[in-house]
């Protein structure tokens, strides 16, 4: 579905087809992009690495945000690592990482596919960044609900403990909700489609 959508977009914007009265941006909405991404993430795909698609989507958004948002001024988005390289071996703290101007971790994002967040996932994440200075650590998941049922208070308590002990703000959220929010921040949502396609 996404491939067909992108091919349609390419054809309507190519020089070979000149349709002056149709603006590509006029029919592309955030909801349409989200629906296509969800179909892509959750489609029956037997290809190895399909669970990497949500990581690529968030990484693509960050590639745009680091240039558009004041919060990310003088921040460096690290290249996305191989999916087969575990964070512990690559000395990374998350799937996506940003450094500040001093080369310290500024923000990291860990993405889970189909797993609701629980305290075990939070503790595993804390193990990755507890020896480093980082301001925010996002735990995003494609699972709905995004938090394991019945563990809301326990998670809230653990997040506060980490904040008190380390200073890092751990944020748990659904990946789709985060994508919607990030897409609203973009000046041009077509730029996301181009970036995501190139990264794929």
């Amino acid at each position: 579905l996404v491939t067909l959508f992108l091919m349609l977009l390419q054809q309507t914007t190519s020089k070979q087809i000149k349709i002056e009265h149709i603006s590509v941006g006029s029919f592309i909405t955030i909801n349409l992009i989200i629906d296509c991404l969800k179909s892509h993430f959750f489609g029956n795909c037997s290809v190895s690495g399909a669970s990497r698609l949500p990581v690529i989507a968030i990484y693509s958004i960050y590639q745009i945000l680091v240039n558009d948002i004041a919060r990310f001024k003088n921040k460096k988005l690290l290249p996305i690592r191989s999916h087969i390289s575990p964070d512990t071996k690559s000395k990374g703290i998350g799937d996506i990482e940003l450094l500040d101007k001093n080369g310290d971790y500024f923000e990291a994002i860990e993405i889970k596919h189909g797993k609701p967040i629980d305290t075990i996932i939070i503790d595993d994440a804390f193990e990755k960044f507890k020896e480093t200075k980082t301001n925010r650590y996002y735990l995003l998941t494609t699972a709905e609900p995004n938090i394991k049922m019945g563990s809301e208070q326990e998670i809230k308590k653990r997040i506060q403990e980490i904040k008190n002990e380390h200073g890092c703000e751990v944020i748990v959220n659904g990946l789709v909700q985060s994508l919607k929010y990030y897409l609203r921040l973009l000046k041009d949502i077509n730029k996301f489609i181009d970036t995501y396609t190139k990264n794929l």
Side-chain angles (χ1 to χ4, degrees), residues 129-153:
F129 72 81
K130 71 178 181 181
E131 301 299 328
T132 65
K133 179 186 167 189
T134 191
N135 293 329
R136 285 188 190 163
Y137 196 95
Y138 290 90
L139 278 165
L140 306 180
T141 181
T142 59
E144 293 180 12
N146 58 338
I147 291 177
K148 187 176 177 183
M149 297 287 278
S151 61
E152 294 85 357
Q153 290 306 314

Side-chain angles (χ1 to χ4, degrees), residues 1 4-5 14 24 31 64 69 73 86 91 102 104 111 113 126 141:
L1 179 63
L4 289 173
F5 170 65
S14 72
V24 174
N31 283 338
I64 302 165
I69 303 295
K73 189 177 180 182
K91 301 202 188 300
N102 300 318
D104 295 321
I111 296 168
H113 191 39
F126 186 46
T141 181

Side-chain angles (χ1 to χ4, degrees), residues 20-183:
E20 308 236 357
H21 63 284
I22 294 177
S23 167
V24 174
S26 65
F27 68 86
I28 297 175
T29 64
I30 290 172
N31 283 338
L32 179 58
I33 291 172
I34 292 296
D35 287 345
C36 287
L37 287 172
K38 283 166 80 173
S39 295
H40 205 195
F41 298 162
F42 301 112
N44 291 329
C45 188
S46 58
V47 178
S48 174
S51 64
R52 192 68 167 163
L53 296 174
V55 177
I56 295 169
I58 294 291
Y59 186 79
S60 300
I61 285 269
Y62 265 81
Q63 282 182 298
I64 302 165
L65 291 177
V66 292
N67 296 314
D68 289 356
I69 303 295
R71 181 170 187 272
F72 298 122
K73 189 177 180 182
N74 298 320
K75 306 301 182 290
K76 179 184 177 186
L77 179 65
L78 294 181
I80 197 165
R81 284 191 307 276
S82 166
H83 188 43
I84 58 171
S85 172
D87 294 333
T88 51
K89 285 191 176 179
S90 63
K91 301 202 188 300
I93 64 169
D95 292 314
I96 299 165
E97 302 154 331
L98 287 102
L99 304 180
D100 63 20
K101 61 183 179 182
N102 300 318
D104 295 321
Y105 282 107
F106 174 72
E107 188 169 295
I109 304 101
E110 180 77 17
I111 296 168
K112 300 297 179 188
H113 191 39
K115 293 180 185 176
I117 304 299
D118 57 17
T119 52
I120 295 169
I121 290 174
I122 291 173
D123 285 337
D124 287 346
F126 186 46
E127 281 299 313
K128 292 178 188 176
F129 72 81
K130 71 178 181 181
E131 301 299 328
T132 65
K133 179 186 167 189
T134 191
N135 293 329
R136 285 188 190 163
Y137 196 95
Y138 290 90
L139 278 165
L140 306 180
T141 181
T142 59
E144 293 180 12
N146 58 338
I147 291 177
K148 187 176 177 183
M149 297 287 278
S151 61
E152 294 85 357
Q153 290 306 314
E154 192 180 0
I155 285 172
K156 193 175 177 183
K157 181 184 171 191
R158 187 66 189 116
I159 286 172
Q160 188 58 51
E161 288 170 352
I162 292 169
K163 176 73 174 167
N164 295 342
E165 179 184 337
H166 181 280
C168 178
E169 181 182 9
V170 176
I171 298 168
V172 173
N173 200 9
L175 183 125
V176 171
Q177 297 97 307
S178 296
L179 278 171
K180 282 183 185 177
Y181 171 74
Y182 290 144
L183 285 167

